[in-house]
């Protein structure tokens, strides 16, 4: 026999999820975390493997032109040492110049295979056992003082999966329900102890995400699709959620589309377009975080790098060492951290050598920004990692 009340609930949950309102944990009344003290932490995951040698190009390296071929940049935005930032990233370069951004090059997790799925799992779990995410373990460690956290996307990112509570918000990919439909649903479920409050919370969260934008995030995304044009709208919505009264202090955002095997392009092309989209997202977060900017840190990471040499299709293949960014008013920036191995020594004669460990960057951010104890980080958040944290990342 069919349980009609269960069926009704499933239909409502399914319908709202399609309209961008993901009910599980989609609460607008976020709990305030005393220990977090408003220190915002955003993790942007570039899914598909960013070519770090395009974003932060070592143009003054002896073998750069020989190895990169048609992908070699001619010119770029100022950066220290042999590097330039890609010209599509003026916001990042400006923040770097003003000491509000830093970069880490030749950096990777301990994963050495070339599967996107496994690489992303290792990036987010930071352990061989893929059970929960390192950010959730950090939140669990902080107990009742943990900041609220939200995952921006259609499903909860692995980074936030685990025992600590976290919310999700998803931009709409289908036309949203009109006001009349919403009103009828609210009347219908006004006395339902589960669906009534859940619908109210979902509507509040969605209003926070899209209501304060000059262009509705949901409508904008519906019109523009999920390409790099959408990165800024997603970041804008995340900024709205983070700065809402009583809003969370942590967010995880995913940007897809960085797997550039074919016709990657150099100054122009598909990768340049995505870098421009990422730069616009950084600018949107800078604007939306506003008064919280001085207490904000934004990590930009990817699962692994790409091959140093151009392939036969004008692109690059899955590699090892990549690049990561740390941006924000709380960041002690204006520098490139870690070891730079150069291009004379390649990993397996094809990849940028992974001289630095991403877990060192994660540990340094959690210790400096949220004040987590180093021993706790070693034992609980990154068990068995061994990588020493980068020091002095946060003001």
């Amino acid at each position: 026999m069919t349980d009609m009340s269960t069926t009704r609930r499933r239909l409502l949950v399914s319908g709202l999820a399609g309209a961008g309102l993901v009910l599980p944990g989609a609460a607008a009344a976020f709990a305030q975390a005393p220990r977090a003290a408003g220190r915002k932490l955003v993790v942007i995951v570039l899914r598909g493997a960013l070519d770090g040698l395009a974003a932060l190009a070592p143009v003054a390296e002896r073998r750069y032109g020989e190895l990169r071929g048609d992908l070699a940049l001619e010119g770029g935005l100022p950066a220290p040492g042999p590097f330039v930032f890609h010209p599509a990233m003026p916001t990042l370069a400006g923040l770097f110049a003003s000491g509000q951004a830093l970069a880490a090059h030749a950096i990777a997790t301990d994963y050495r295979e070339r599967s996107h799925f496994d690489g992303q799992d290792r990036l987010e779990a930071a352990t061989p056992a893929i059970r929960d995410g390192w950010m959730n373990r950090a939140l669990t460690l902080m107990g009742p003082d943990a900041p609220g956290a939200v995952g921006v996307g259609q499903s909860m990112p692995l980074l936030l999966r685990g025992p600590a509570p976290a919310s999700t918000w998803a931009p709409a990919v289908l036309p949203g329900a009109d006001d009349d439909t919403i009103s009828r649903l609210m009347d219908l479920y006004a006395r339902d102890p589960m669906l009534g409050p859940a619908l109210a919370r979902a509507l509040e969260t969605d209003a926070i995400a899209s209501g304060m934008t000059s262009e509705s995030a949901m409508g904008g995304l519906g019109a523009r699709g999920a390409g790099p044009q959408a990165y800024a709208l997603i970041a804008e919505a995340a900024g709205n959620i983070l700065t809402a009264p009583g809003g969370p202090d942590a967010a995880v955002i995913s940007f897809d589309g960085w797997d550039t095997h074919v016709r990657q392009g150099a100054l122009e092309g598909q990768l340049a377009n995505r870098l421009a989209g990422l730069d616009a997202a950084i600018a949107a977060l800078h604007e939306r975080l506003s008064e919280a900017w001085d207490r904000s840190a934004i990590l930009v990471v990817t699962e692994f790098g790409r091959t140093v040499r151009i392939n036969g299709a004008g692109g690059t293949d899955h590699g090892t060492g990549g690049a990561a960014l740390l941006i924000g008013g709380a960041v002690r920036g204006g520098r490139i951290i870690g070891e730079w191995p150069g291009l004379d020594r390649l990993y397996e004669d094809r990849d940028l050598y992974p001289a630095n460990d991403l877990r060192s960057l994660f540990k340094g951010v959690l210790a400096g920004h949220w004040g987590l104890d180093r021993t706790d980080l070693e034992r609980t958040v990154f068990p068995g990692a061994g990588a020493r944290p980068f020091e002095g990342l946060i003001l």
Side-chain angles (χ1 to χ4, degrees):
M1 177 181 294
T2 302
D3 182 335
M4 293 305 293
S5 62
T6 300
T7 302
R8 189 180 65 178
R9 288 182 172 89
R10 286 177 176 171
L11 285 173
L12 176 57
V13 169
S14 173
L16 290 174
L21 308 180
V22 180
L23 284 180
F30 301 102
Q32 189 63 40
R35 179 168 176 169
R39 298 186 72 84
K40 309 295 184 184
L41 177 58
V42 180
V43 180
I44 298 177
V45 181
L46 306 181
R47 299 188 187 277
L50 162 72
D51 184 0
L53 292 172
L56 185 58
V59 295
E61 278 282 332
R62 181 178 64 86
R63 299 186 65 196
Y64 174 75
E66 165 205 340
L67 292 168
R68 297 296 282 178
D70 290 343
L71 299 184
L73 292 181
E74 296 180 1
L77 301 172
F83 303 104
V84 296
F85 287 110
H86 193 284
M89 307 190 75
T91 301
L92 171 64
L95 290 171
F96 187 96
S98 63
Q100 299 176 78
L102 61 78
H105 221 320
I107 195 165
T109 68
D110 60 336
Y111 179 71
R112 292 293 178 267
E113 303 300 325
R114 301 177 191 278
S115 160
H116 289 298
F117 300 110
D118 292 343
Q120 289 171 24
D121 282 350
R122 191 67 65 88
L123 172 74
E124 297 181 74
T127 66
I130 312 299
R131 291 189 295 266
D132 51 16
W134 59 261
M135 182 176 277
N136 193 285
R137 293 198 295 274
L139 296 172
T140 302
L141 183 64
M142 297 167 73
D145 288 340
V150 60
V152 180
Q154 297 293 335
S155 60
M156 183 69 76
L158 176 57
L159 265 169
L160 288 176
R161 291 182 206 162
S167 303
T168 59
W169 175 82
V173 295
L174 298 174
D178 58 29
D179 291 343
D180 181 63
T181 301
I182 293 295
S183 178
R184 289 171 185 269
L185 284 171
M186 294 185 71
D187 288 343
L188 181 61
Y189 298 117
R191 296 184 180 181
D192 189 303
M194 187 186 85
L195 294 179
L199 174 60
R201 289 197 301 269
L203 291 171
E204 287 178 34
T205 301
D206 198 61
I208 290 170
S210 60
M212 290 180 284
T213 59
S214 56
E215 178 180 3
S216 165
M218 293 177 66
L221 286 174
R224 300 183 186 189
Q229 312 93 306
Y231 296 169
L233 292 173
I234 294 171
E236 193 175 342
N240 289 342
I241 294 172
L242 287 166
T243 54
D249 288 323
V252 176
I253 305 172
S254 295
F255 292 151
D256 295 331
W258 299 87
D259 197 14
T260 50
H261 289 283
V262 179
R263 300 179 66 182
Q264 176 173 302
L267 289 175
E268 298 178 346
Q270 60 162 315
L271 182 56
N273 292 339
R274 295 199 178 276
L275 292 173
L278 174 61
D279 197 68
I282 294 168
L285 280 171
H286 186 204
E287 177 192 353
R288 290 292 160 174
L289 290 173
S290 183
E291 295 180 0
W293 180 251
D294 288 345
R295 293 173 276 112
S296 298
I298 303 165
L299 262 172
V300 182
V301 295
T302 192
E303 64 262 38
F304 43 64
R306 306 195 70 82
T307 50
V308 175
R309 296 181 179 88
I310 187 173
N311 64 23
T316 52
D317 299 320
H318 302 176
T320 307
L325 303 168
L326 181 62
I327 305 158
V331 174
R332 192 186 300 278
R335 58 205 171 110
I336 297 174
I337 61 172
E339 177 187 351
W340 170 244
L343 299 180
D344 289 339
R345 177 183 55 153
L346 301 183
Y347 181 75
E348 296 185 344
D349 194 35
R350 51 175 281 167
D351 304 337
L352 181 62
Y353 196 87
N356 305 292
D357 195 314
L358 266 170
R359 296 166 297 182
S360 298
L361 181 60
F362 301 156
K363 289 179 182 179
V365 170
L366 291 177
H369 199 51
W370 280 352
L372 293 186
D373 180 78
R374 181 169 176 169
T375 301
D376 288 336
L377 288 172
E378 300 291 349
R379 290 179 178 174
T380 306
V381 183
F382 301 99
R388 294 173 59 85
F390 284 118
E391 304 284 354
L393 300 179
I394 304 295
L395 293 170

